[in-house]
Amino acid sequence: MKCLLTTLAACTAVAVPAFAQQFPLTIDHKFGTTVIESKPERVATVDYAGADNLLALGIQPLTVRSWYGPYENGLWPWAQELSKQDPELLTGQLNFEQIAATSPDVIVAIRSGITEQEYASLSAIAPVVAVPAGQGDYDLNWEEQALLAGQALGRENDAVAQIEALKSRIDNVAKSHPEWEDKTFVMLTIYNGDLGLYTKTDSSVKTIEALGLEVHPKVRELSEEGQFYMTISQEIMPELDADVVFWWVSAENASELENLPSRSALNARAEGREIMLDGNGVASGALAHGSLISLNAAIDVLVPMIEAAVDGDPETVVAE
């Protein structure tokens, strides 16, 4: 993770307009308007992967929402390095008493899927920052999530600097791999017999696209606004035979994927152009978290995987 820490340290060197944020701060969102009276210091989050951007911005989160992965405190490796203490782990339905006991100044809920009733209950504890009006619960990309968190916490300058540094790193990956420019990709999974496709609006798909690969035309054709994932017929598998095929793999679906009949129709399989994203691995976890710190970790792992997949040698092992 040395590269990750080096990248974060370099963020402060990015030239961005400096200004002092003024409080009280008013933020409009899908549930109405929230007023944050002063710069928050104690911050709770009910977002999935919400702790990441708080840690990147120098905040020790009071809470972290259980999502998935093998880590008992809910923090993945890139977050563990920045965390000084374990936050309260929120599991299952939101426990409002547990959240209130942390005495937050503000609650961040921009990737949470909370209902209006849950918003009201949380607002009785502290001001709540929710997803902007007109946006789906999980529609904000990594830049928008980081910027909104930075604004709400009075750390917008820092957020902008880190966003620009990460965008620059992503751009440099694409520029240094011009051979990827015309290479298409798809992202798939299999669960209980259903073939799943991640659409062009999925955050992980957008990240791979930004690194220089091209979303397969069939994926663009099938994608619908506001739908990041969809179940598709295995009959169209041959139409999804991209230059690189990403598979999300877990202990639950590994055997099913290995024996999937329609997978044999892919030239990508025969030619070693599949990338298996282990559900508990750094590449898959970092992609799914889509944060200022996780995406740096994702780049470290994904770039050599993609290089191996498209090197033209079927014997090259593509391993996470």
Side-chain angles (χ1 to χ4, degrees):
M1 291 294 183
K2 182 178 180 181
C3 182
L4 167 60
L5 296 177
T6 301
T7 303
L8 288 175
C11 289
T12 56
V14 178
V16 293
F19 59 92
Q21 283 183 259
Q22 299 296 315
F23 286 86
L25 179 68
T26 300
I27 297 180
D28 296 325
H29 50 73
K30 67 182 290 184
F31 299 118
T33 300
T34 290
V35 177
I36 304 173
E37 293 294 340
S38 58
K39 184 176 180 178
E41 296 298 333
R42 297 181 58 80
V43 183
T45 174
V46 295
D47 288 332
Y48 295 104
D52 280 16
N53 282 335
L54 301 190
L55 287 166
L57 295 171
I59 294 286
Q60 293 294 311
L62 302 173
T63 60
V64 60
R65 193 166 186 178
S66 177
W67 190 10
Y68 74 101
Y71 306 101
E72 291 184 1
N73 65 356
L75 300 177
W76 284 61
W78 48 86
Q80 302 274 11
E81 293 186 348
L82 298 177
S83 178
K84 298 177 182 177
Q85 60 186 30
D86 287 347
E88 282 288 316
L89 184 63
L90 307 176
T91 60
Q93 296 294 316
L94 291 178
N95 183 328
F96 301 107
E97 291 183 359
Q98 182 184 14
I99 298 169
T102 67
S103 301
D105 298 327
V106 69
I107 300 171
V108 180
I110 58 179
R111 195 189 186 191
S112 65
I114 59 171
T115 65
E116 189 165 7
Q117 183 176 354
E118 289 172 326
Y119 168 76
S121 298
L122 290 170
S123 295
I125 300 170
V128 180
V129 181
V131 70
Q135 295 278 4
D137 290 329
Y138 307 103
D139 280 357
L140 297 185
N141 62 32
W142 69 266
E143 297 174 53
E144 293 166 331
Q145 290 177 52
L147 183 59
L148 183 52
Q151 291 170 340
L153 303 180
R155 302 178 183 225
E156 186 171 358
N157 283 338
D158 191 9
V160 170
Q162 294 194 46
I163 288 169
E164 291 304 315
L166 182 51
K167 286 173 63 178
S168 177
R169 188 178 181 203
I170 291 172
D171 289 343
N172 286 338
V173 169
K175 290 175 182 176
S176 63
H177 294 84
E179 71 278 11
W180 293 0
E181 186 174 349
D182 297 322
K183 301 292 186 183
T184 61
F185 77 97
V186 298
M187 195 169 283
L188 301 163
T189 193
I190 182 79
Y191 187 72
N192 285 343
D194 291 328
L195 183 63
L197 172 71
Y198 293 87
T199 74
K200 68 177 184 179
T201 64
D202 175 71
S203 60
S204 296
V205 170
K206 288 182 176 179
T207 298
I208 299 299
E209 184 179 23
L211 289 173
L213 297 179
E214 182 179 338
V215 178
H216 194 281
K218 187 64 176 179
V219 176
R220 294 191 179 280
E221 176 189 327
L222 294 171
S223 297
E224 299 178 9
E225 288 301 321
Q227 187 176 15
F228 71 91
Y229 176 88
M230 62 192 303
T231 299
I232 59 174
S233 168
Q234 294 192 36
E235 295 178 357
I236 69 170
M237 182 78 88
E239 299 180 61
L240 294 169
D241 197 4
D243 293 304
V244 181
V245 177
F246 292 85
W247 289 100
W248 291 86
V249 189
S250 66
E252 291 74 24
N253 76 350
S255 177
E256 192 173 9
L257 175 57
E258 182 62 29
N259 298 307
L260 182 64
S262 56
R263 184 177 159 216
S264 62
L266 298 176
N267 290 322
R269 181 182 188 182
E271 297 174 6
R273 292 185 277 105
E274 292 178 307
I275 293 180
M276 301 298 176
L277 298 171
D278 178 358
N280 288 329
V282 170
S284 65
L287 266 180
H289 279 62
S291 70
L292 290 171
I293 52 177
S294 79
L295 289 178
N296 273 294
I299 292 170
D300 290 343
V301 180
L302 281 168
V303 169
M305 294 171 75
I306 297 172
E307 289 172 340
V310 300
D311 71 350
D313 184 358
E315 299 302 318
T316 303
V317 176
V318 184
E320 180 169 335

